[in-house]
Amino acid sequence: MRIRFVRIGALMLLFQISIFGQGLAGTSVSDAPLPERTAPLLDALDMPDLVETIRAEGLAHAEEIRSTLFPGRGQERWPELVSEIYGSERMMGILGAELEAATEPWHIDPLVDFFDSALGRRIVRLEISARQAFLEPAVEEASLEYLGKLRDSDGQRLEILEEFAETNDLVEANVATALNANMAFQMGLNNAGAFGPMREEGEMLREIWMQQDEIRTETARWLMSYLSLAYQPLSDAELQSYIEFSQSEAGKRLNADLFSAFNELFQVISYDMGEAAAQFLVGEEL
């Protein structure tokens, strides 16, 4: 079970699997009501568009999961489950509720002011567009090549990108979320009987923690390639403005609240996905 979860500025980047639960296949968030207090912020962040992108990532990754865990099975039922798993209204409901509960009222106005500004709107679109582009493996490879060129020719730009990643604690926060999601997936498998006799939680936890160095290395490498591509059109000065916003009280709080909300979403998702996958692993395809 591989989880890749990255917050890029205002957005959460995820390449992973997830969940069996509520939501209808193909539902759209376009008409879903947003939480009243945080609706302007969610709108400024283009959260419905982001959720649709996460849905596309989940559907694309589902076949890799199937071919790895239970090849030759679930060709018809698995895509149906995954489509329900990534129900857009369901995901939006979880995220909206988490952010509504966590976001302080006095932080909303400065956040909306920034992301409704010309620079803020541009940043959000660049982040989502790059995330959508990364659905194509060739784009990810090209971004890695571009990152290599930056390392050789533009040390100042690379330093700014690294400062942005450090300011928002992107690597360590993603490692923690990935470990949590992996553990939730294993718990879902375990509780659904995929391993036969129930495994000890401590045993699973030790196995998950053994992955942290590998996850950290992969996350750092992938993150920097993504940042280099997503923010390529921005000037150094514009990136510095984004860093300054991220260092503000409202920016720090948004970063923490978004990580918390998506961490909750992906733990729920991953646990339920473990339960869904278990039926194919134990030979009880429904």
Side-chain angles (χ1 to χ4, degrees):
M1 170 66 176
R2 177 174 61 89
I3 298 283
R4 182 181 285 165
F5 166 96
V6 183
R7 176 183 179 266
I8 300 302
L11 307 181
M12 312 298 296
L13 299 180
L14 168 74
F15 287 93
Q16 93 307 324
I17 101 164
S18 278
I19 174 165
F20 177 70
Q22 309 167 27
L24 300 175
T27 55
S28 171
V29 296
S30 58
D31 298 322
L34 298 177
E36 182 176 355
R37 184 165 57 82
T38 53
L41 175 59
L42 294 174
D43 185 61
L45 295 175
D46 280 354
M47 192 64 72
D49 198 6
L50 174 59
V51 166
E52 292 294 345
T53 304
I54 292 173
R55 174 176 166 81
E57 292 168 353
L59 297 179
H61 192 56
E63 179 57 26
E64 180 182 338
I65 298 300
R66 188 189 68 81
S67 63
T68 300
L69 295 183
F70 40 90
R73 310 198 67 202
Q75 289 92 335
E76 296 183 4
R77 181 58 176 153
W78 180 249
E80 294 176 359
L81 290 177
V82 173
S83 188
E84 293 177 351
I85 282 166
Y86 281 91
S88 300
E89 286 189 24
R90 177 179 190 266
M91 291 192 291
M92 193 69 190
I94 294 173
L95 293 173
E98 290 292 318
L99 289 171
E100 184 81 358
T103 306
E104 298 288 354
W106 52 86
H107 288 155
I108 294 177
D109 285 347
L111 294 174
V112 172
D113 287 345
F114 179 82
F115 288 109
D116 267 348
S117 69
L119 176 59
R121 288 195 301 270
R122 190 177 178 209
I123 286 170
V124 169
R125 291 318 311 164
L126 287 173
E127 291 173 345
I128 292 178
S129 296
R131 180 168 181 153
Q132 292 168 339
F134 261 54
L135 289 167
E136 295 293 334
V139 174
E140 184 173 347
E141 290 299 320
S143 72
L144 287 169
E145 292 179 7
Y146 177 67
L147 178 62
K149 293 179 181 178
L150 279 184
R151 293 189 188 282
D152 293 336
S153 61
D154 195 346
Q156 178 178 343
R157 182 68 168 193
L158 191 59
E159 287 180 4
I160 295 174
L161 293 173
E162 290 173 342
E163 181 183 0
F164 178 83
E166 183 176 353
T167 295
N168 291 286
D169 197 27
L170 296 183
V171 174
E172 292 306 316
N174 277 287
V175 170
T177 299
L179 293 173
N180 290 337
N182 283 340
M183 183 62 183
F185 180 73
Q186 293 294 319
M187 292 291 291
L189 285 172
N190 193 41
N191 291 345
F195 303 129
M198 291 287 287
R199 299 183 65 195
E200 294 282 343
E201 183 174 339
E203 176 187 359
M204 291 187 293
L205 187 59
R206 285 191 295 273
E207 290 181 0
I208 295 299
W209 275 101
M210 289 176 64
Q211 304 171 18
Q212 64 176 312
D213 289 341
E214 179 183 355
I215 290 174
R216 183 175 290 103
T217 298
E218 180 186 359
T219 297
R221 175 174 176 269
W222 184 88
L223 170 66
M224 294 309 300
S225 71
Y226 182 89
L227 290 174
S228 68
L229 177 68
Y231 300 144
Q232 184 178 2
L234 298 179
S235 68
D236 289 353
E238 287 171 327
L239 267 176
Q240 288 290 357
S241 294
Y242 198 11
I243 290 172
E244 291 173 7
F245 166 77
S246 299
Q247 293 170 336
S248 69
E249 181 182 357
K252 290 178 181 178
R253 192 67 252 169
L254 174 64
N255 188 57
D257 290 346
L258 282 174
F259 264 118
S260 178
F262 276 86
N263 182 63
E264 175 65 20
L265 172 66
F266 296 136
Q267 285 197 65
V268 171
I269 275 177
S270 298
Y271 179 89
D272 289 350
M273 185 51 157
E275 286 191 325
Q279 65 179 276
F280 300 97
L281 292 170
V282 300
E284 297 179 358
E285 182 174 345
L286 301 178

